[in-house]
Amino acid sequence: MSITTAGLSRRTLLKSTAAAALAGAVKSAFPSGAFAQGAGPETTRAVLGFIALTDSAPLIVAKEKGLFAKYGMPDVEVVKQASWGTTRDNLVLGSQGNGIDGAHILTPMPYLISAGKVTQNNVPLPMVILARLNLDAQGISVGSAYKDLQVGLDSGVLREAFAARKAAGNPAKAAMTFPGGTHDLWIRYWLAAGGIDPDTDVETIVVPPPQMVANMKVGTMDCFCVGEPWNEQLVNQGIGFTAVNTAELWNKHPEKSLGMRADWVEKNPRAAQALLMATMEAAQWCDDMANKEELAEIVGKRAWFNVPAKDIVDRLKGEYDYGNGKVVEDSPHFMKFWRDHASYPFQSHDAWFLTEDIRWGKFEPETDIKALIAQVNREDLWREAAKTLGVTDIPASTSRGVETFFDGKVFDPENPEAYLKSLAITRIA
């Protein structure tokens, strides 16, 4: 499968007259691969954080393939972060304080940071979301001790075992990567849909993504939710199995974003556009099936993930060995970087994340969801960059509409209250 843009394969598109015209326009606008003299970025430098997760690939590829330089920003640094907590702390510092200006980030985090929900002394730091980095392909994995239960979409098969653990004074532990982040919300949704309360029936713990496999190996947790390549590595090491690809919970769900400090974007609007264009071009490259082997080799390097390419490449291609006997050779739930409007930050998706964080007590029930999204989600900048790049397949609306989940629950972004009322397990009184 090759990347598609406006219904054409990438190869076809590159041969088209429109692509030739675009190439000419870009060349004249960005001589020598950079912005024209006097109209270029306000700065050639930005410091971007990333966590060793496959969905950081667009930033890594933009750096490795010289795309930041192509759009006039040769001094962009892409710097590894130890955890999402470290990412947050370094965003607060900013690059002027030896921190970072932006990051590959869990989509709810810019909202939690902007609202001062997860910062020291609850001091808000205004953030913006410039783009989505991917759809789908996170995983919920379970330790080998539970293999006989045939755990899959229905977490309810764990209810009895977890209840026994709790009664014995040793509650089961469910690990995620940051409170209120995407992985937290996926595993909570999955557990709650099976009648397991993630706050009372199990103990929810925070573990950085690269430490998940090692912690499962020594029995620190019973299940976890994280992005790749850690679920695949767990299977390859025979420590546990994948119960669920998160796209099975919500098909074509949003995941990570490119988040930036709002003050950096306000000060450097042309540089923000340059970052966007480089990231978008990288996302198209990452999405091309012909590039998956090379992509796995690139991100697996010591400087990036320090993970063997074999632990990355299969699931990039949609080849899923769940580790419990289930094998899907051509899964539709592989990670999307560009197709299906993966890069565009739908505001309706941010509304779901905020609603779920209200469900679990991270935001107050009276939170003005639309107002917060208007402050943080800068899909207008994405559209501007897309038009400059000649992208024709641009969503007509900021909403993808009503979303339906695996358990039949329906989220209408125009009526979050109805969705919340439909949920049996919630922290809302």
Side-chain angles (χ1 to χ4, degrees), residues 72 103 149 166 174 181 216 297 327 396 419:
L149 294 177
K166 183 181 178 183
M216 183 73 94
E297 293 288 345
V327 176
Y419 169 79

Side-chain angles (χ1 to χ4, degrees), residues 80-146:
K80 186 181 290 186
Q81 308 295 294
S83 66
W84 294 118
T86 303
T87 299
R88 169 205 57 205
D89 295 343
N90 281 330
L91 282 166
V92 171
L93 289 172
S95 62
Q96 291 184 334
N98 293 320
I100 57 180
D101 303 303
H104 152 250
I105 201 165
L106 300 164
T107 287
M109 282 185 68
Y111 289 97
L112 292 162
I113 294 170
S114 292
K117 298 297 183 183
V118 295
T119 51
Q120 188 172 10
N121 299 322
N122 301 118
V123 177
L125 171 69
M127 294 281 298
V128 298
I129 288 173
L130 295 181
R132 207 75 74 207
L133 293 179
N134 70 301
L135 303 179
D136 292 346
Q138 311 302 288
I140 297 175
S141 290
V142 179
S144 295
Y146 299 95

Side-chain angles (χ1 to χ4, degrees), residues 142-286:
V142 179
S144 295
Y146 299 95
K147 209 167 197 175
D148 291 346
L149 294 177
Q150 298 182 322
V151 187
L153 267 176
D154 180 14
S155 67
V157 298
L158 290 165
R159 204 162 48 223
E160 189 175 319
F162 284 0
R165 289 279 303 274
K166 183 181 178 183
N170 181 29
K173 292 180 173 59
M176 47 77 182
T177 62
F178 190 84
T182 56
H183 301 129
D184 187 22
L185 299 182
W186 304 137
I187 201 164
R188 284 173 174 272
Y189 194 101
W190 177 69
L191 289 170
I196 300 170
D197 191 314
D199 290 320
T200 61
D201 295 336
V202 299
E203 185 180 333
T204 306
I205 62 172
V206 178
V207 176
Q211 297 177 25
M212 286 289 189
V213 175
N215 274 273
M216 183 73 94
K217 190 173 186 177
V218 298
T220 304
M221 82 275 281
D222 299 88
C223 57
F224 65 64
C225 183
V226 73
E228 298 300 342
W230 309 113
N231 299 282
E232 184 166 4
Q233 186 179 84
L234 183 85
V235 169
N236 289 345
Q237 293 187 12
I239 301 166
F241 61 94
T242 299
V244 175
N245 176 327
T246 51
E248 297 171 71
L249 303 179
W250 176 12
N251 189 29
K252 297 179 184 177
H253 72 73
E255 181 51 41
K256 305 298 189 305
S257 293
L258 172 57
M260 300 291 296
R261 287 176 57 114
D263 57 3
W264 191 94
V265 173
E266 290 165 10
K267 184 180 178 182
N268 305 294
R270 293 192 302 278
Q273 284 290 301
L275 291 180
L276 260 171
M277 289 188 285
T279 302
M280 291 161 77
E281 183 172 335
Q284 293 180 46
W285 187 92
C286 292

Side-chain angles (χ1 to χ4, degrees), residues 314-376:
D314 286 349
R315 293 192 179 192
L316 267 177
K317 293 177 174 180
E319 298 170 5
Y320 275 79
D321 179 349
Y322 283 64
N324 58 359
K326 179 180 178 180
V327 176
V328 181
E329 294 184 355
D330 189 19
S331 172
H333 301 315
F334 64 92
M335 190 172 290
K336 291 91 175 166
F337 297 99
W338 184 259
R339 73 194 69 205
D340 299 324
H341 297 143
S343 176
Y344 176 72
F346 282 100
Q347 293 186 352
S348 59
H349 290 162
D350 290 7
W352 182 83
F353 285 120
L354 287 170
T355 302
E356 277 289 301
D357 271 339
I358 289 171
R359 174 189 186 182
W360 300 115
K362 304 301 181 187
F363 281 98
E364 297 79 8
E366 61 272 16
T367 297
D368 190 334
I369 292 174
K370 285 189 175 181
L372 195 50
I373 290 172
Q375 293 170 20
V376 175

